[in-house]
Amino acid sequence: MIDLYYWTTPNGHKITMFLEETGLPHRILPINIGKGEQFAADFLEIAPNNRIPAIVDHAPADGGAPVSLFESGAILLYLAEKTGQFIAPDLRGRAETIQWLFWQMGGLGPMAGQNHHFTQYAPEKIPYAIERYTKETARLYAVLNKRLADREFVAGDYSIADMACYPWIVPHQKQGQKLEDFPHLARWFGAIRERPATQRAYALAQRINPAPVVTEEAKRVLFGQDAGTVRPG
């Protein structure tokens, strides 16, 4: 059994997409990050960076004590290795999958995240920041579009690399992007959107958080953190 500590964000969707694809037994434990539930002491034992998602695997492959992980990319890789699914078994295919997973973690996610912040949530509109992150998001879309020009999915077969990238493309309009500008990416996006597991994952999000609104209080919780937010050791 996998315990998934989850909220309805792109990084949260990555893990529900994987779990829905594999049917791995799991339990969803919502962590409402707009209300500060990520700062609870028991959650911080699992996720010391006070971010979702996080998991606890109560049946690890070595038969030992439960394994806890935070960071969505690490979780995807762990679950792929646990199940033997959605990562290529050969050396080169595995390397392809991992490098694009890391590309998402180090590039697409952070840059699109800053795009979201400065275009949607920042208390003042800063033209330089908006232009900077909108252009960088477009560049990353173009990289992914080029990658998909001669293959169905990012690493050949559908994999954790696709699951990592897809949720960050879902809000493309809020990022100032038009999918028609990236035809190979648009084709890939439509194929993943139609997968039954993807639809189940996003339906789950609607049930857990049917009317997502970032209130002023939530903004203070989410964007007002500094070194003092971290509990002393």
Side-chain angles (χ1 to χ4, degrees), residues 9-38:
T9 71
N11 288 334
H13 298 322
K14 296 175 188 178
I15 313 306
T16 53
M17 287 173 67
F18 184 97
L19 293 171
E20 290 293 340
E21 288 282 356
T22 58
L24 196 61
H26 62 278
R27 177 175 62 156
I28 301 289
L29 299 168
I31 301 292
N32 189 328
I33 59 176
K35 294 183 177 179
E37 293 176 2
Q38 68 272 36

Side-chain angles (χ1 to χ4, degrees), residues 11 58 62 67 92-93 114 120 122 150 152 166 183-184 203 215 227:
N11 288 334
H58 293 280
D62 64 2
V67 172
R92 288 171 176 77
Q114 292 299 321
Q120 306 294 318
D150 61 352
E152 186 176 7
Y166 175 84
H184 307 301
T215 64

Side-chain angles (χ1 to χ4, degrees), residues 42-53:
D42 56 348
F43 179 68
L44 290 173
E45 289 293 319
I46 300 164
N49 195 39
N50 63 268
R51 297 287 190 272
I52 62 92

Side-chain angles (χ1 to χ4, degrees), residues 14-183:
K14 296 175 188 178
I15 313 306
T16 53
M17 287 173 67
F18 184 97
L19 293 171
E20 290 293 340
E21 288 282 356
T22 58
L24 196 61
H26 62 278
R27 177 175 62 156
I28 301 289
L29 299 168
I31 301 292
N32 189 328
I33 59 176
K35 294 183 177 179
E37 293 176 2
Q38 68 272 36
F39 302 114
D42 56 348
F43 179 68
L44 290 173
E45 289 293 319
I46 300 164
N49 195 39
N50 63 268
R51 297 287 190 272
I52 62 92
I55 67 166
V56 176
D57 181 3
H58 293 280
D62 64 2
V67 172
S68 64
L69 289 98
F70 65 102
E71 286 294 326
S72 59
I75 295 168
L76 283 175
L77 184 56
Y78 175 85
L79 293 176
E81 292 178 338
K82 175 183 175 69
T83 61
Q85 298 184 64
F86 299 109
I87 188 168
D90 63 289
L91 183 146
R92 288 171 176 77
R94 174 182 166 81
E96 288 283 293
T97 305
I98 291 174
Q99 73 175 354
W100 284 96
L101 173 65
F102 280 33
W103 175 85
Q104 185 282 313
M105 293 294 295
L108 179 62
M111 294 300 103
Q114 292 299 321
N115 181 320
H116 294 170
H117 180 77
F118 285 105
T119 60
Q120 306 294 318
Y121 304 122
E124 59 180 298
K125 298 297 184 183
I126 303 173
Y128 174 82
I130 293 171
E131 182 181 20
R132 163 78 178 95
Y133 290 111
T134 300
K135 284 184 173 180
E136 180 60 8
T137 302
R139 187 190 73 81
L140 291 164
Y141 274 46
V143 170
L144 194 53
N145 185 67
K146 183 178 179 180
R147 174 68 178 176
L148 291 163
D150 61 352
R151 68 201 73 219
E152 186 176 7
F153 297 109
V154 173
D157 293 333
Y158 188 58
S159 74
I160 55 174
D162 301 286
M163 296 178 204
C165 293
Y166 175 84
W168 286 100
I169 306 297
V170 170
H172 54 272
Q173 292 178 324
K174 289 184 177 180
Q175 298 165 9
Q177 309 302 320
K178 297 179 181 178
L179 287 189
E180 56 264 34
D181 294 339
F182 308 96

